Amino acid sequence: AQTVTQSQPEMSVQEAETVTLSCTYDTSESNYYLFWYKQPPSRQMILVIRQEAYKQQNATENRFSVNFQKAAKSFSLKISDSQLGDTAMYFCAFMSGTSGTYKYIFGTGTRLKVLA
Amino acid sequence: NAGVTQTPKFQVLKTGQSMTLQCAQDMNHEYMSWYRQDPGMGLRLIHYSVGAGITDQGEVPNGYNVSRSTTEDFPLRLLSAAPSQTSVYFCASSYGYYYEQYFGPGTRLTVT
């Protein structure tokens, strides 16, 4: 069975600095997708970034980038130039849809606080 | 576009009562899902649908029922509420299963 592990329950970072959130996963499938979602205090879930497993190039989205290591089954999120609005829970998620079965597995989340 | 809407925002039920959480989307998405979010456990998939008339179970389906008669609506029914179903429930939709999911604002349900 697939699992997603986020080993850092809480982190903090100074405004304008860089922080990396870790995520590891376990799967025997070769084709899957990985996501980072952000959940601010408003509770609204928002996609931060998405990575296709078949792509070797790491995804980037403005100040957000990932370090995708397929062999190590690692998918970390780097936030550069942290802003106060980045304060939120961050969830790593694994998705596969092989054999007609749809699996979407979330990690337990990392609570990030950006300090002024 | 309203995106994904959920009603109600808050609900308190007594053990044994039944109710339906409503979810609707106006983006013509084929894929819709229901999750529950519990402290320290992330989001867990309850049921999902890949199109009108097609539903399947997720990770934690027991005690819940779904149907999908239209593309827009995907209600979640609690058959006989139990305190273990106290949670925040999110509905989500996406264009395809590997695309971004758009989430509703959530429903906080308390079962006493």
Side-chain angles (χ1 to χ4, degrees):
Chain A
Q2 286 80 2
T3 58
V4 176
T5 302
Q6 293 181 250
S7 58
Q8 305 151 315
E10 293 187 357
M11 295 188 73
S12 62
V13 62
Q14 288 294 134
E15 199 175 4
E17 292 189 347
T18 295
V19 64
T20 298
L21 310 183
S22 66
C23 173
T24 57
Y25 59 94
D26 189 24
T27 184
S28 58
E29 299 187 25
S30 58
N31 190 26
Y32 51 88
Y33 300 82
L34 297 164
F35 304 81
W36 279 98
Y37 282 90
K38 167 184 177 181
Q39 186 179 41
S42 67
R43 207 169 68 187
Q44 181 68 49
M45 294 282 287
I46 305 162
L47 178 71
V48 175
I49 201 163
R50 170 177 172 267
Q51 174 80 43
E52 297 93 334
Y54 62 86
K55 285 189 177 178
Q56 291 189 335
Q57 186 174 4
N58 289 327
T60 62
E61 194 71 40
N62 300 318
R63 298 182 294 107
F64 300 88
S65 61
V66 298
N67 183 5
F68 174 47
Q69 302 287 332
K70 191 172 183 178
K73 295 179 182 172
S74 171
F75 183 60
S76 60
L77 175 70
K78 185 171 84 171
I79 305 174
S80 304
D81 186 25
S82 297
Q83 300 176 359
L84 296 177
D86 295 334
T87 292
M89 280 287 286
Y90 287 81
F91 291 97
C92 177
F94 166 98
M95 186 280 146
S96 73
T98 56
S99 306
T101 301
Y102 174 65
K103 299 188 188 86
Y104 218 111
I105 311 294
F106 281 81
T108 53
T110 295
R111 186 177 302 278
L112 176 69
K113 187 169 185 179
V114 180
L115 306 171
Chain B
N1 285 354
V4 179
T5 58
Q6 290 183 240
T7 56
K9 285 190 168 52
F10 302 93
Q11 182 70 49
V12 178
L13 289 179
K14 293 189 188 306
T15 297
Q17 288 184 318
S18 62
M19 80 158 295
T20 300
L21 306 185
Q22 301 291 346
C23 174
Q25 52 93 8
D26 61 358
M27 296 174 282
N28 203 31
H29 286 167
E30 290 295 326
Y31 288 77
M32 296 187 74
S33 310
W34 275 103
Y35 296 88
R36 58 178 290 172
Q37 183 177 23
D38 301 296
M41 298 190 74
L43 279 78
R44 291 182 291 168
L45 182 63
I46 304 171
H47 284 286
Y48 65 94
S49 169
V50 300
I54 307 169
T55 63
D56 204 349
Q57 297 180 352
E59 183 184 354
V60 288
N62 292 342
Y64 307 95
N65 201 4
V66 292
S67 59
R68 183 104 177 265
S69 56
T70 67
T71 298
E72 294 77 20
D73 300 299
F74 190 44
L76 177 72
R77 296 181 191 82
L78 278 70
L79 308 173
S80 177
S84 60
Q85 293 179 304
T86 292
S87 188
V88 179
Y89 291 84
F90 287 96
C91 177
S93 74
S94 62
Y95 179 71
Y97 64 82
Y98 47 84
Y99 286 88
E100 169 186 3
Q101 290 196 91
Y102 292 83
F103 285 83
T107 295
R108 182 176 294 278
L109 175 69
T110 302
V111 183
T112 61

